[in-house]
Amino acid sequence: MAREFQRGHKAKISDLTQGTDLYVGVQIAAPGLTFDISCFGLDANEQLSDDRYFIFFNQPKSPEESVQLLGAQSGDTESFRVTLDRIPANIQRLSFTATVDGAGQMSQVGPGYIRIVAGGEEVVRYAFNGSEFTTERAVMLGDFYLKDVWRFAAVGQGFDGGLDALLKNFGGEVAEEEPAAAQPPAGGAAPGFAPPPGGPAPAFGAPAAPQAPQPAPSFGVPPQAPAPAPAPHPMHGAPTVAAPMAPPPAPSPYAQPGQPQAPQQPPFGQIPGQAPGQAPGQFPGQFPGQGQQPGAPSPYGQPTPPPYGGHPQGAPPPGMPQPGQQAGAGLQAALQPYREAATGQRWTPQNQQLMRVDLAMGGASVLARQGSMVMYQGKVDFGYKGAGFAGRIVGNATGQEMQLMRCSGRGQVFLAEEASHLHPIELQGDGICVSAENVLAFDESLQYEVRRIEGHGIPGGALFTMQFQGTGTVVVKTHGVPVVLPVTPTTFADSNAVVAWSAASQVILSSQVRLRRNAYPGHSGETVNLQFRGAPGNFIVVQPYEV
């Protein structure tokens, strides 16, 4: 039975089949659209260093025929034959791609797939559809890659631009005109492995019986060359809006450091009325990991933040004209409040619901919730981050399972999820407890584990949370603007509304369930709470929303 892969899943080829002579079939279609399906043979730097390993309609096979384009067969829009043990050592990745030929977008495609057949049996299939894409005109479907042994990964990554953009991304050059491939002599025979049109998938890897010559395969006559695709979007590490806009605006709610701002709410961790001499985010005594002297530079990974969860008091909300800004002054003035904020920090809030992380700073990769990337710039690799068998068992049993992807490379990634409010929290050797449901992303340098909350009075007697510890940043998401409270001996919080708390706090379940509760006609609905205890400096974060 074929294994069903989802985006980001990976497996060793040897775990799927013992064969090395494989059939790769791609099915993709959309009303009124045609597609170019290609294979890029890449080196260890993921570059097309040898143009002979770009397999497409005008170049249907590699020099040693380890990769061959077969054409439409067995219900597949396009198909390939891949012989892994014949691929030369300088080729370490085969990337199978599909691009729109002409106008159109990948969001228009219907249900499609990429599959692998070995010995006449389908061993893996990755299915996709247009709802996974938006304005992309190309998609990287799946990869064979060499990491000790050959492996397969379901990629499903959309790519703006067409075939030209993919070529440039892989380091290739776009020719002005592609010369037409020479047609084969009439009456040529097909290779013995090619299946008859409409027949079953080829049984590569199995002993083949002698076959009679068959008609020439469809790839022998190249189709008409596609129209040149539009130029790709440039990939860069600079802000999206590089040129200054006119007229010069007043500072936005997320102004860069050094610009004057209107009076603000107390920042994260600071209670109203706190003395100016105290470090931001520090209660009397000590606030773990959040103390900072006035005027000191922001710590690693922490941008100079706007007030926790809101915009400055007295200032207009984001998107409204700023003081001194002329209304209706043209398109550039209208877009100015939404420009990218590049502060030179690793983590930079763009607004209340969008976070920017610069992977080139800090060196460590970022783990983010799957599907939270809304855009990126530069050379960024997105990989599946598995929890392992034990991690999945613990996650399913405790409700603290996180479906993560690893973001690595050199570039900027923008993260968001369902317009939740986002708050970067810097850790410097200390710890914080956050429910897995409220975690958007974090530095991979942080250690994290499931922590049990002790208690009594309800069946099971325990709840669970995630504890993060070390040096780095964790981005917490909330519904609405949260409130931060100090921990006192009489601090209680609804377990469905609490978001996070300091790891040094003692947390126990406090139940108001009493005998014969059901004998009463009704009750308050607040039967289970969390009680917090701890030394001065501990805190809890509560959102105005119950999960």
Side-chain angles (χ1 to χ4, degrees):
M1 180 180 295
R3 290 178 57 178
E4 295 289 340
F5 272 26
Q6 295 182 0
R7 179 189 298 181
H9 284 185
K10 303 177 183 179
K12 297 179 180 178
I13 297 296
S14 59
D15 291 340
L16 304 173
T17 176
Q18 296 302 313
T20 59
D21 197 359
L22 308 176
Y23 171 92
V24 178
V26 175
Q27 204 283 325
I28 185 170
L33 299 184
T34 57
F35 296 88
D36 294 325
I37 301 173
S38 313
C39 176
F40 291 84
L42 309 176
D43 58 21
N45 297 320
E46 300 186 13
Q47 296 295 297
L48 184 65
S49 56
D50 190 338
D51 292 343
R52 298 175 300 169
Y53 289 88
F54 173 36
I55 311 303
F56 68 120
F57 55 85
N58 268 349
Q59 187 167 260
K61 60 184 178 181
S62 60
E64 71 294 320
E65 300 186 356
S66 62
V67 183
Q68 303 176 50
L69 186 70
L70 304 180
Q73 302 192 39
S74 306
D76 298 329
T77 309
E78 189 60 270
S79 61
F80 299 82
R81 182 185 188 181
V82 177
T83 311
L84 294 177
D85 52 7
R86 296 178 62 183
I87 296 176
N90 62 306
I91 302 299
Q92 299 196 12
R93 182 179 291 265
L94 301 177
S95 182
F96 295 89
T97 67
T99 58
V100 179
D101 182 7
Q105 299 175 350
M106 283 296 172
S107 58
Q108 301 172 246
V109 304
Y113 59 78
I114 180 172
R115 63 174 182 150
I116 301 176
V117 177
E121 179 182 358
E122 183 175 316
V123 295
V124 67
R125 175 183 292 238
Y126 162 50
F128 57 87
N129 57 62
S131 64
E132 302 178 28
F133 312 107
T134 54
T135 60
E136 299 93 332
R137 299 188 60 251
V139 61
M140 291 177 270
L141 300 172
D143 287 0
F144 287 96
Y145 65 100
L146 186 61
K147 186 178 180 182
D148 301 328
V149 295
W150 281 102
R151 305 165 188 255
F152 174 74
V155 180
Q157 180 177 332
F159 197 98
D160 283 341
L163 187 59
D164 290 357
L166 276 176
L167 270 170
K168 291 182 178 179
N169 178 65
F170 290 133
E173 296 182 357
V174 181
E176 294 296 331
E177 295 183 3
E178 289 286 351
Q183 297 186 359
F193 58 80
F204 295 146
Q211 299 182 8
Q214 299 177 8
S218 58
F219 68 78
V221 181
Q224 184 178 359
H233 298 294
M235 303 175 67
H236 54 83
T240 304
V241 181
M245 293 184 172
S252 70
Y254 297 91
Q256 300 183 8
Q259 295 179 338
Q261 298 188 27
Q264 300 181 352
Q265 301 176 15
F268 173 72
Q270 179 173 320
I271 58 177
Q274 186 176 15
Q278 287 182 309
Q282 182 175 0
F283 293 108
Q286 186 178 3
F287 187 78
Q290 297 293 326
Q292 181 179 350
Q293 295 298 326
S298 299
Y300 159 76
Q302 181 72 29
T304 303
Y308 187 85
H311 63 276
Q313 295 181 354
M320 298 297 292
Q322 305 297 317
Q325 178 178 338
Q326 297 181 4
L331 178 61
Q332 291 185 345
L335 297 179
Q336 183 66 21
Y338 310 104
R339 73 188 190 279
E340 177 185 358
T343 62
Q345 302 291 336
R346 178 171 169 86
W347 296 88
T348 307
Q350 303 299 293
N351 51 48
Q352 295 181 12
Q353 293 89 20
L354 185 64
M355 185 67 59
R356 173 186 186 266
V357 55
D358 192 339
L359 299 176
M361 303 185 64
S365 300
V366 167
L367 298 180
R369 187 177 294 271
Q370 288 183 13
S372 62
M373 185 275 291
V374 297
M375 67 165 289
Y376 70 93
Q377 302 172 125
K379 182 68 174 178
V380 180
D381 179 60
F382 298 92
Y384 174 71
K385 173 64 171 66
F389 179 76
R392 290 196 299 270
I393 294 296
V394 172
N396 291 332
T398 63
Q400 296 298 308
E401 183 178 12
M402 294 188 293
Q403 299 292 332
L404 299 173
M405 62 179 180
R406 177 182 286 106
C407 309
S408 57
R410 299 186 65 83
Q412 300 80 40
V413 180
F414 294 77
L415 304 171
E417 186 173 75
E418 298 180 349
S420 299
H421 288 220
L422 305 181
H423 317 281
I425 300 177
E426 172 72 13
L427 301 179
Q428 295 183 339
D430 48 346
I432 189 171
C433 295
V434 188
S435 173
E437 181 65 25
N438 294 98
V439 176
L440 179 73
F442 56 93
D443 287 317
E444 194 171 13
S445 57
L446 292 174
Q447 294 84 42
Y448 59 98
E449 62 180 355
V450 177
R451 179 177 175 181
R452 184 173 183 265
I453 302 173
E454 302 296 337
H456 57 82
I458 65 172
L463 290 176
F464 299 88
T465 187
M466 296 298 299
Q467 178 175 315
F468 293 84
Q469 196 158 6
T471 300
T473 297
V474 56
V475 179
V476 176
K477 61 189 186 77
T478 65
H479 292 272
V481 180
V483 62
V484 181
L485 297 174
V487 171
T488 68
T490 58
T491 300
F492 295 82
D494 191 312
S495 59
N496 291 321
V498 65
V499 174
W501 61 87
S502 52
S505 302
Q506 180 187 7
V507 187
I508 62 174
L509 290 174
S510 174
S511 175
Q512 296 184 10
V513 178
R514 297 185 178 89
L515 187 63
R516 299 180 62 191
R517 166 63 70 183
N518 295 331
Y520 294 91
H523 60 84
S524 66
E526 305 293 345
T527 56
V528 179
N529 298 312
L530 297 179
Q531 181 179 6
F532 293 84
R533 301 173 182 174
N538 288 285
F539 65 94
I540 62 170
V541 182
V542 180
Q543 64 185 0
Y545 177 90
E546 292 193 3
V547 178

